[in-house]
C-alpha cells in the first residue's frame, strides 16, 4: 500500500497506533479528545512538494489531547507515528480541550435522574414520571465566572417532548442545570426570577407523520433527473482532487472538517500554486439576550465541538444529487477507538448556467458557453443547527465558499403576553427564539505562484479628490481603485467599508502582470460581514477576538491555526487567546512574506415565524477571485454550446454547435410557433429577431427589417426601409 | 380568441392597429420609437382583479412615441385600441425618445463614408481602402453641453477589425465622431490631444476558430444531462405563471423587459397578494475616466436603449438547459412594422440543493428536503455587454433577482507605456478598459395581503445602549433589530449601512403576525450596493438621481415608472428628472399607503486581464424574503427526500424514503467501502456513525459506542462504555 500523502488525515490504523503508544506510556484510563494529524511543518512540506521523489517524506505526527480521570488533568502531546515516539507531552492547567459528542450525550441521562432537576421539572409542570420525556442540549458552558476553567462544565438547555416524535424545541424549560464532568454530577441549576411553566401549546412538527396529519405533501413536484452517462469530469485519487484546471488536496480533521491544501491551477500546462491552505477555522454564535444565563449561549462550534466531529454521513440522492464521490473520515472515540464517518465529504459537479456569452448586434455572431462547478460539501449538525458548507470551485479560477444555514432555532420559553424586549421573537406560542449571529472565520495561507511571499492590499472604490469643474475632473466622473498595502499586523486589523465596497487583495508583488502592471492577486469579495454585536470588553468580544474585525493578517507560523485559541472551552478571554496573542503590539511586517489572512463573515439572525419549526436554508456566499493572475480569460478553451463568427454567418457554414440535445421545449405561454426554438441555428436571434435572416427584423436579409436585404427595413437592400437599397425608405438609394 | 389579460403586452395586431391609427391621423413619415402597452390604471385594475367577471375590462391603451422627420419633432401620445381613438397627443420640446437599434446600426455605414472620419482613420493608420473594416458602437451621446437636447445625437465609439472575425474591441480608435440624426450626418469629431495610432498587436479572439488555432478545446468536460420525464412543475397560460405556490403575470415591454405583476402566493389555499408590480426600471453605467469625451460614457441601458428592444432570442439547450418554456415579445419597428423576438423570456425550474435538513444527534431522526427554484430569464445585449437577468422564485416565498454580467468590456486605445492614471486597466497590449459601475434600479410596488397600504421600515442590527457591566447588559451581549419607520419621501432617501447590515422591510402594518406581533413583511436583503462614484453635482449625478441613494420610497402614482425620466436620451440633469421631480420637498407621507420602493444596487468594475477578451460572468444577487408573513415555515409540505422520526428509528419502520434513485456513486477517494452509501437508510449517520446502529459509534446499539446498547461505549448498554449498562465504562451500572 502506498504511504499516505503527508496532508492525508490520520487513518484508522494511525489513530489506533497513536492511542496505543499513549496508553502504553500514560495508562489506559485516558479519554482521548483529539487524535489528529499534526500537519507537516510548512518548511519541510514545501521542500517535499517541490521534489517528492528526492525529499524525505515528512513524518506522520499525531496531535493527542487527553483527559486523565477522575482528576480531569489535561495533557496535550505529539506522537510521532513513524518512529513510534511521544515527542511532546505537556500538562495543561486552566484549559479544557474540545468537548466530545459522548460527553454531551451523557448529560441527558444525568439530568433525568438528578433530584434537583426532577424537582424543577415538576415545578415547571412536567409529571415526575415523565422524566424520560425530558431532553437537553448540553453545551459547553461558554464561560461562567462562578466556576472558572479548572472544572469541566456543561450547561444543559432543557426541553420536554410530550411525545418522542415531537420537536423538543417547541417545549423549552426555563431553568438550566450545570453539569460537572469531573464529578459527573449536576452542581448547580440556574433558575430565572420570573418562572415560566411548560407550554401546553399544540405541537407543530416538521416530520412526515405530522405533515401527513396536516393534509400530506403537495403533489405538483415533478422529478428533476440529473445524470452523467459518460462519467464525471473530476477524479479523486486518495485525497487529491483534479477537476478542470484545479488540483488540490482535501484533508479533514475533527475541528475544521474539510481542509484544502496545496490548491493550484493548471494554467496553459503549468501548475501554479494559489493557496497553501484554506479552511474554516472557527465560528462563534453569540445570542443577544442579556438575561442570565443566556449570555453563556455563544457557541464556538468549531473550537468547542468540532465541525469534523459533528459531521453528517452524507447520503446519495438526498444530501447530494447527481454523480457523487465521497470521502470518509476516521475519528477517535473518547475511549481510544475509531469511528468512521462514512461520506463525511461529498464531491460532485453541477451545471452552472452561462459562463460567458456575447452576441454582436450588427452581425449576429455569437458565442454561448455554459459553466459548471465542482462542489465539495460537508454538513455538520451543531445540536439544533445544521451548517451545509460548500466549497465551490469555478472553472474561471474563482473559489466560492458557500454556507447554507438550516436546522432548528435555539429556543427559550416565554409566558403568554411576555415582552421579548426585542431580544428575541415569539416564533410560535410560548417559543422565544433569541437574536443571534453566526460569525465564521475563514483562514487562508496564500502562496500565489509559489515562494510564499505575499502581501495584502485594501482595494477601495473612491472618487477622485479633484472637484467637479476642475481641469482634472471637469465632469466629476473620475473614480479609481485606491490600493493600500497593509504593512503590519496592527494595520491589518481592517473592517469592511460599504461606501467604498472594500475588498482585500492577496498579492504576490514579485509577479507583475505583463499587461496590467499589477501584481498577481486573489481578491476576497465578501459582503455578509456583520460587526460583532456584543460590545467591546464584553465576554464574547474577549473570547472571540477574531470577530472584532473583518480581516486580520498575520505572519505565517505553523501552529497558529485557531484564532480563538487551541483549547476553546471555558476560556475567559482574559487574556484573549489566539489572534491577539500572536499579533501582540502588531509591529510584525506582513509585506512580501509568508502570511495568513483571517476573514470573519456571517450573518445576524433576527428570527421570524418562517424559520419555525425548521428553517428553510439561508445562504451566505463569498468569492475568492483571480485578478491580474491569468494572462487573459482562462476559460476560452471550455467548449461552447454554440459559436459562430461573422464570416460564418455570411458563408452560412462553419458553425460550432454543441447545443445540449437533452433539453426539451415545454409548450405554453405567448410563443408564436415553432420558429426559433427548434430553428436551424442556436443562440442567434432566430427567424424573427433583430438581426439575421429575419422576416420583420432589423438587419440582414429581412423582409421588413432595417438593415441588409430587408423588404420594409431601414438599411441595406430594404424595400420599404430607411437606408440602402430601400424602396420606401428615407435613406434609400 | 380570449381577450388579452389587461397586463399582457400589446400583441402584433394591437401594435399594428395603434400604428395605423397614428399614421392615419399624423401622416406616414413617422418613426415609431415606442408602441407599448400603457398598463391599466391601478385603481381600475385593482377592481378588475378583485372581480374580473363582473368588472369592466380595462381598455387596451398604447403609449406611442414618434419622431416626425425631417424636422425631428417628437410626439408622445396615447391610443385607445379598444375604441380606436387617439386620446392624447403631445408635442415635446428638448426631449429625445429612446434610441432604436435601427438608428444605431445606421451610423456604422455613415462613418465609413464620411470624409472627416476617413481622414481620421487614415491618420490612425487604417488604410483608406479599409473603411469596410471600420466599425463603431454608436451610443446615444449621453449629454454634451455643446449641442444640447434639441438635436438627436449619437457618439460613435470607433474600432477596427483587421479581419471580419476579429473582435473589434481589441482595436479601438482614438477619436469619436458625433452623428446628428436629424441631418443624417457626422457633425463633429472629438479628437484627443494625445494621438494614439492603431495598435498592431496580434488579435486574441474568443470564438471557436481562434481557439482551434490555439490548440482547441479541453476534452475533459463530460455531459451533465437534466431531464424531467414526468413534465415540469409549472404551468404557463398566456402570460400567467403558476409554480408551486407562486402565481404571477409576466409582462414585457421595450424598456424594462420582463415585468412581474400581481405576484401572489397561495398560503394554505388562500391567494395572498405580495407585489402589485416588480421590475428593473433603469440602470446607469458611468465610466470613471475624466478625460473628454469619456465623461459621455454613462449609458442608461434601459431608459436610452431598452432592455426589451435589446433582448436576445433565447435558445434551447444553450442559454437555458432542461425543460424550458418561452415567451415571445412583439416589438414595433421604427417604420411601424412589428418584429417578434422569439423566446425573449425563458422559464424553467432547477434543483436547488437542500431546502432544509435536521438530524437529531441523540436519536438519528432526520429530515432532508431538497429545494427547487423557478427561473424566469431574459438576456439583453447592450452593444458590448450582456446582462443575463434572472428572476428566481423559491419555494419558501423568497424572490431572488439575480443578474450575471458577461459580454465584452468597453475599451479604449492606449499607447505603449502610457499611464492609465488609475482610470482604467491595460487588459491587453494597447487596450485600456476603463473603470465603470453598473447601477441597476429595482422598482417594487408592494401590496402585501392586498389593500395597497404599506410602509417601509429600516431594520438595523445594533447593540444595546446599556454598557457592559450595567444591570440591563451585564455581559455586554445584548443586541436587537432597531426598526425605524420611514415617514416621508425625504426621510426615505436612505443608504446602506454595513455596520448595522441594514435591510429594508416593506410591511403591511394592518396585518400583524399572531405569534411575533410584527406586521407582515417582505425584507429587502441587498449587499452589492456601491455608492454612485461620480461626485455630487457631476453630470452623472444630475442625470441618474435614482443612484444617489440605496433606497427611495415614493407614494404610488400610475405614471411614475422611470426614475431617470420618461425620455432619457440627452437629458442634462438640469433639473434632474424622475425621482427628484416626484419627491420634490419630500413631505409626502409614505405611511400605510400605496407606495413604491426604488432600490439601487450593482457593482463597481475595475477591469482585469481575466475579463478579456470576453468576461466570465460575474453575479449580483439580492433577496426579497418573507418575514412575519407566513404562520410558520411555508415549505413543510414539500415532499422530503427522507424523513424518519425517533419512534420509527426504534421501531425500524415507517420511514419516508423518496431518495433520488437517479443519483450514482462515483468510486474513488478515501472511502472505506460499501457501507453507508448504499446502506439501508439514507441520511442518517449510517453504520459507523456517531449515532444509530453503529459498531464503534457513540449512541444507540453500538458495539464500541457511547450511548445505548454499546459494547465498548460510554452510555447505555455499553460493554466497555462510560455510562449505562456498560461493562468497562466509567458510569456503567
Amino acid at each position: 500500500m502506498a504511504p499516505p500523502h503527508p496532508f492525508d488525515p490520520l487513518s484508522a490504523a494511525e489513530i489506533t497506533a497513536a492511542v496505543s503508544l499513549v496508553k502504553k506510556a500514560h495508562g489506559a484510563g485516558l479519554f482521548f479528545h483529539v487524535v489528529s494529524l499534526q500537519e507537516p511543518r510548512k518548511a519541510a512540506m514545501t521542500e517535499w512538494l517541490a521534489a517528492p521523489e528526492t525529499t524525505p517524506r515528512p513524518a506522520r505526527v499525531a496531535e493527542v489531547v487527553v483527559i486523565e480521570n477522575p482528576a480531569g488533568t489535561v495533557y496535550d502531546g505529539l506522537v510521532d507515528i513513524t518512529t513510534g515516539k511521544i515527542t511532546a507531552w505537556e500538562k495543561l492547567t486552566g484549559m479544557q480541550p474540545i468537548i466530545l459528542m459522548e460527553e454531551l450525550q451523557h448529560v441527558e441521562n444525568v439530568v433525568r435522574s438528578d433530584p434537583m432537576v426532577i424537582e424543577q421539572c415538576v415545578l415547571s409542570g412536567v409529571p415526575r414520571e415523565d422524566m424520560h420525556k425530558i431532553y437537553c442540549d448540553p453545551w459547553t458552558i461558554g464561560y461562567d465566572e462562578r466556576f472558572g476553567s479548572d472544572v469541566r462544565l456543561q450547561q444543559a438547555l432543557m426541553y420536554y417532548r410530550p411525545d418522542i416524535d415531537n420537536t423538543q424545541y417547541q417545549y423549552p424549560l426555563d431553568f438550566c442545570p450545570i453539569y460537572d464532568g469531573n464529578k459527573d454530577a449536576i452542581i448547580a441549576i440556574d433558575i430565572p426570577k420570573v418562572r415560566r411553566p411548560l407550554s401546553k401549546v399544540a405541537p407543530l412538527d416538521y416530520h412526515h407523520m405530522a405533515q401527513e396529519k396536516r393534509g400530506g405533501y403537495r403533489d405538483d413536484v415533478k422529478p428533476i433527473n440529473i445524470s452523467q452517462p459518460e462519467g464525471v469530469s473530476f477524479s479523486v485519487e486518495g485525497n487529491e482532487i483534479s477537476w478542470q484546471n484545479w488540483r488540490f488536496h482535501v484533508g479533514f480533521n475533527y475541528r475544521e472538517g474539510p481542509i484544502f491544501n496545496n490548491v493550484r491551477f493548471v494554467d496553459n500546462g503549468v501548475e501554479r500554486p494559489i493557496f497553501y491552505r484554506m479552511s474554516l477555522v472557527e465560528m462563534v454564535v453569540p445570542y443577544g439576550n442579556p438575561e442570565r444565563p443566556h449570555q453563556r449561549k455563544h457557541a464556538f462550534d468549531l473550537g468547542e465541538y468540532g465541525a469534523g466531529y459533528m459531521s453528517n454521513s452524507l447520503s446519495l440522492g438526498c444530501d447530494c444529487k447527481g454523480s457523487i464521490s465521497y470521502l470518509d473520515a476516521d475519528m477517535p472515540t473518547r475511549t481510544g477507538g475509531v469511528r468512521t464517518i462514512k461520506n463525511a465529504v461529498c464531491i460532485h459537479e453541477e451545471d452552472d448556467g452561462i459562463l460567458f456569452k456575447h452576441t454582436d448586434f450588427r452581425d449576429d455572431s455569437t458565442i454561448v458557453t455554459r459553466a459548471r462547478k465542482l462542489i465539495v460539501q460537508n454538513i455538520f449538525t451543531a445540536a439544533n443547527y445544521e451548517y451545509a458548507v460548500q466549497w465551490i470551485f469555478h472553472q474561471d479560477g474563482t473559489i466560492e465558499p458557500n454556507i447554507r444555514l438550516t436546522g432548528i432555532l435555539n429556543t427559550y420559553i416565554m409566558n403568554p403576553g411576555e415582552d421579548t424586549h426585542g431580544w428575541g421573537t415569539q416564533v410560535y406560542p410560548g417559543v422565544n427564539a433569541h437574536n443571534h449571529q453566526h460569525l465564521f472565520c475563514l483562514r487562508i495561507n496564500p502562496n500565489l505562484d509559489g515562494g510564499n511571499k505575499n502581501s495584502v492590499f485594501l482595494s477601495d472604490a473612491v472618487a477622485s479628490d479633484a472637484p467637479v469643474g476642475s481641469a482634472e475632473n471637469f465632469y466629476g466622473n473620475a473614480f479609481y481603485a485606491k490600493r493600500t498595502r497593509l504593512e503590519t499586523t496592527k494595520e491589518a486589523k481592517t473592517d469592511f467599508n460599504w461606501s467604498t465596497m472594500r475588498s482585500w487583495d492577496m498579492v504576490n508583488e514579485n509577479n507583475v502582470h505583463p499587461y496590467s502592471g499589477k501584481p498577481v492577486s486573489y481578491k476576497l469579495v465578501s459582503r455578509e460581514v456583520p460587526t460583532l454585536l456584543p460590545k467591546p470588553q464584553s465576554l464574547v468580544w474577549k473570547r472571540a477576538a477574531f470577530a472584532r474585525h473583518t480581516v486580520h493578517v498575520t505572519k505565517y507560523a505553523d501552529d497558529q491555526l485557531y484564532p480563538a485559541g487551541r483549547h476553546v472551552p471555558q476560556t475567559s478571554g482574559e487574556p484573549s487567546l489566539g489572534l491577539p496573542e500572536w499579533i501582540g503590539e502588531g509591529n510584525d511586517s506582513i509585506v512580501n512574506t509568508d502570511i495568513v489572512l483571517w476573514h470573519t463573515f456571517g450573518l445576524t439572525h433576527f428570527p421570524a415565524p418562517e424559520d419555525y419549526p425548521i428553517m428553510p436554508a439561508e445562504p451566505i456566499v463569498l468569492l475568492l477571485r483571480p485578478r491580474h493572475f491569468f494572462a487573459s480569460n482562462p476559460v476560452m478553451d471550455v467548449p461552447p454550446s454554440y459559436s459562430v463568427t461573422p464570416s460564418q454567418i455570411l458563408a452560412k457554414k462553419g458553425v460550432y454547435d454543441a447545443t445540449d440535445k437533452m433539453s426539451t421545449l415545454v409548450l405554453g405561454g405567448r410563443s408564436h410557433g415553432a420558429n426559433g426554438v427548434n430553428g436551424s441555428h442556436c443562440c442567434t436571434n432566430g427567424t424573427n429577431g433583430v438581426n439575421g435572416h429575419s422576416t420583420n427584423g432589423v438587419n440582414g436579409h429581412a423582409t421588413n427589417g432595417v438593415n441588409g436585404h430587408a423588404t420594409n427595413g431601414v438599411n441595406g437592400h430594404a424595400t420599404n426601409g430607411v437606408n440602402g437599397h430601400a424602396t420606401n425608405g428615407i435613406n434609400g438609394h
Side-chain angles (χ1 to χ4, degrees), chain A:
Chain A
M1 204 171 106
H5 188 288
F7 284 134
D8 281 355
L10 294 186
S11 66
E14 289 174 320
I15 292 170
T16 302
V19 164
S20 198
L21 287 161
V22 169
K23 281 186 173 170
K24 199 170 156 193
H26 298 284
L30 305 173
F31 280 159
F32 290 82
H33 286 252
V34 178
V35 183
S36 186
L37 180 73
Q38 186 199 49
E39 290 175 34
R41 309 293 81 186
K42 187 172 178 183
M45 188 62 188
T46 298
E47 280 183 40
W48 186 83
L49 286 170
E53 306 297 328
T54 55
T55 309
R57 182 175 286 268
R60 299 289 287 172
V61 178
E63 299 183 354
V64 178
V65 181
V66 301
I67 298 183
E68 189 179 58
N69 277 306
T73 318
V74 180
Y75 294 93
D76 191 346
L78 294 173
V79 177
D80 185 326
I81 298 165
T82 314
T83 62
K85 294 223 163 77
I86 296 172
T87 56
W89 199 253
E90 186 191 359
K91 179 178 165 179
L92 303 182
T93 50
M95 291 212 173
Q96 296 295 338
I98 195 162
I99 199 160
L100 301 177
M101 299 292 282
E102 290 99 317
E103 292 177 277
L104 299 171
Q105 299 224 349
H106 172 59
V107 175
E108 200 161 78
N109 291 325
V110 175
V111 297
R112 284 175 177 168
S113 55
D114 182 88
M116 290 189 304
V117 174
I118 295 170
E119 183 194 335
Q120 288 300 321
C121 289
V122 170
L123 272 175
S124 293
V126 177
R128 191 176 295 270
E129 62 274 18
D130 270 7
M131 292 309 294
H132 61 291
K133 297 185 178 179
I134 291 293
Y135 291 79
C136 70
D137 281 3
W139 293 23
T140 176
I141 198 161
Y143 180 74
D144 190 315
E145 67 279 16
R146 294 174 297 175
F147 307 104
S149 312
D150 289 324
V151 286
R152 188 161 179 85
L153 300 174
Q154 296 179 49
Q155 53 184 323
L157 309 188
M158 301 294 293
Y159 304 95
Y160 175 71
R161 294 188 189 177
D163 180 272
I164 189 173
D165 289 342
N166 290 145
T167 307
Q168 68 201 33
Y169 300 98
Q170 52 202 330
Y171 301 108
L173 298 173
D174 71 347
F175 58 94
C176 183
I178 295 174
Y179 168 81
D180 179 332
N182 304 110
K183 294 186 179 154
D184 189 27
I186 303 300
I187 56 165
I189 302 185
D190 285 315
I191 297 168
K193 284 178 208 152
V194 177
R195 296 310 299 260
R196 298 169 178 95
L198 181 64
S199 162
K200 302 284 189 210
V201 71
L204 179 68
D205 288 307
Y206 55 76
H207 57 64
H208 61 293
M209 301 301 290
Q211 184 58 35
E212 279 155 15
K213 275 189 202 152
R214 281 191 299 266
Y217 289 110
R218 58 180 79 174
D219 58 4
D220 57 351
V221 181
K222 308 287 186 197
I224 297 175
N225 291 342
I226 298 167
S227 61
Q228 296 201 261
E230 297 178 26
V232 296
S233 318
F234 61 87
S235 74
V236 184
E237 298 286 331
N239 291 58
E240 276 280 348
I241 295 181
S242 169
W243 176 76
Q244 300 289 290
N245 290 319
W246 287 105
R247 304 287 179 270
F248 53 86
H249 182 283
V250 184
F252 191 94
N253 74 23
Y254 70 107
R255 189 153 176 170
E256 297 158 84
I259 297 158
F260 297 84
N261 270 116
N262 198 23
V263 179
R264 51 219 193 275
F265 195 97
V266 179
D267 181 13
N268 285 308
V270 178
E271 263 193 21
R272 297 175 65 187
I274 294 176
F275 299 147
Y276 181 78
R277 193 180 195 277
M278 168 179 75
S279 67
L280 289 183
V281 286
E282 193 51 275
M283 61 178 290
V284 65
V285 185
Y287 283 76
N289 188 322
E291 293 157 27
R292 296 172 214 243
H294 303 305
Q295 84 281 355
R296 288 194 314 237
K297 289 198 307 192
H298 56 274
F300 293 75
D301 289 304
L302 274 56
E304 292 181 333
Y305 305 88
Y309 281 157
M310 298 190 293
S311 286
N312 290 188
S313 279
L314 300 176
S315 183
L316 189 67
C318 196
D319 294 296
C320 318
K321 191 169 159 162
S323 297
I324 318 289
S325 194
Y326 293 95
L327 299 177
D328 297 344
D330 292 319
M331 295 284 123
T333 65
R334 198 179 190 203
T335 51
V338 176
R339 70 177 167 103
T340 300
I341 304 174
K342 288 296 301 176
N343 303 348
V345 173
C346 67
I347 301 156
H348 75 290
E349 51 184 342
E350 290 183 7
D351 181 81
D352 194 32
I354 289 173
L355 178 59
F356 56 81
K357 177 174 189 181
H358 185 60
T359 302
D360 191 318
F361 68 99
R362 63 174 65 68
D363 59 29
D364 254 2
S365 64
T366 296
I367 193 164
V368 188
T369 302
R370 286 193 79 79
R372 61 182 57 205
K373 56 189 177 186
L374 185 78
I375 299 173
V376 180
Q377 182 176 234
N378 166 253
I379 303 180
F380 62 92
T381 300
N384 51 304
Y385 264 111
E386 256 73 11
Y387 298 96
V389 180
Q390 299 192 334
W391 299 86
I392 303 178
F393 293 81
H394 293 272
Q395 289 167 307
D396 69 356
T398 300
I399 299 174
E400 175 190 336
N402 181 314
I403 304 178
R404 287 195 182 189
L405 283 69
T406 177
I408 303 181
L409 292 166
N410 173 271
T411 56
Y412 189 64
I413 187 171
M414 63 188 284
N415 282 327
E418 182 179 337
D419 186 352
T420 65
H421 299 292
W423 313 126
T425 304
Q426 181 170 270
V427 292
Y428 194 65
V431 180
N432 184 355
H434 291 161
N435 308 336
H436 55 280
Q437 302 191 283
H438 301 266
L439 300 173
F440 302 87
C441 185
L442 172 69
R443 177 186 182 277
I444 297 176
N445 178 210
N447 184 22
L448 302 176
D449 274 338
N452 292 303
K453 288 190 181 303
N454 295 275
S455 307
V456 176
F457 283 72
L458 298 181
S459 178
D460 289 293
V462 295
S464 161
D465 287 337
V468 180
S470 66
E472 309 94 296
N473 192 19
F474 190 79
Y475 295 96
N477 64 310
F479 61 87
Y480 67 105
K482 183 176 175 186
R483 301 175 76 249
T484 310
R485 192 172 69 183
L486 301 173
E487 302 287 326
T488 62
T489 53
K490 181 170 54 193
E491 258 186 53
K493 294 178 185 175
T494 44
D495 294 314
F496 185 60
N497 179 348
W498 87 274
S499 68
T500 68
M501 277 288 139
R502 175 168 289 175
S503 57
W504 286 260
D505 296 342
M506 292 170 271
V507 313
N508 180 343
E509 297 183 81
N510 311 292
N511 260 24
V512 169
H513 195 284
Y515 307 151
S516 72
K518 298 217 162 55
V520 297
S521 73
Y522 258 71
K523 181 182 282 294
L524 169 66
V525 181
S526 183
R527 307 301 191 211
E528 290 286 352
V529 286
T531 47
L532 177 67
L533 288 171
K535 292 170 106 74
Q537 306 305 326
S538 69
L539 177 59
V540 178
W541 183 90
K542 287 188 286 190
R543 297 190 71 207
F546 68 88
R548 293 175 199 165
H549 297 287
T550 315
V551 164
H552 292 79
V553 184
T554 58
K555 214 166 143 68
Y556 177 85
D558 275 327
D559 290 320
Q560 293 182 359
L561 285 173
Y562 302 125
R566 172 160 168 74
H567 301 286
V568 178
Q570 296 179 237
T571 53
S572 65
E574 291 177 343
S576 296
L577 301 181
L579 272 177
E581 292 181 282
W582 307 328
I583 291 172
E585 295 291 308
N587 297 321
D588 281 358
S589 168
I590 47 170
V591 172
N592 200 28
T593 186
D594 197 0
I595 56 171
V596 175
L597 182 142
W598 311 79
H599 170 50
T600 300
F601 64 97
L603 49 81
T604 302
H605 193 172
F606 299 111
E610 282 84 355
D611 304 327
Y612 185 88
I614 189 166
M615 288 186 298
E618 184 169 8
I620 307 177
V621 175
L622 47 101
L623 299 175
L624 296 156
R625 302 184 66 214
R627 303 303 277 168
H628 313 280
F629 190 81
F630 296 113
S632 303
N633 176 330
V635 284
M636 285 193 289
D637 68 333
V638 174
S641 295
Y642 191 85
S643 173
V644 59
T645 70
S647 67
Q648 292 170 345
I649 295 259
L650 292 173
K652 301 187 188 179
K653 63 179 183 188
V655 170
Y656 183 102
D657 188 350
T659 301
D660 172 47
K661 301 302 186 295
M662 289 287 294
S663 292
T664 55
L665 176 66
V666 177
L667 294 178
R670 248 171 73 98
S671 187
H672 294 286
N675 289 340
V677 177
N678 296 312
S680 59
H681 54 131
C682 163
C683 306
T684 59
N685 285 324
T687 308
N688 299 303
V690 177
N691 289 326
H693 310 276
S694 62
T695 309
N696 302 303
V698 180
N699 211 355
H701 309 277
T703 309
N704 303 302
V706 179
N707 245 336
H709 309 278
T711 309
N712 303 304
V714 180
N715 216 350
H717 308 277
T719 309
N720 304 305
V722 180
N723 211 355
H725 308 278
T727 309
N728 304 310
I730 58 159
N731 296 312
H733 296 238

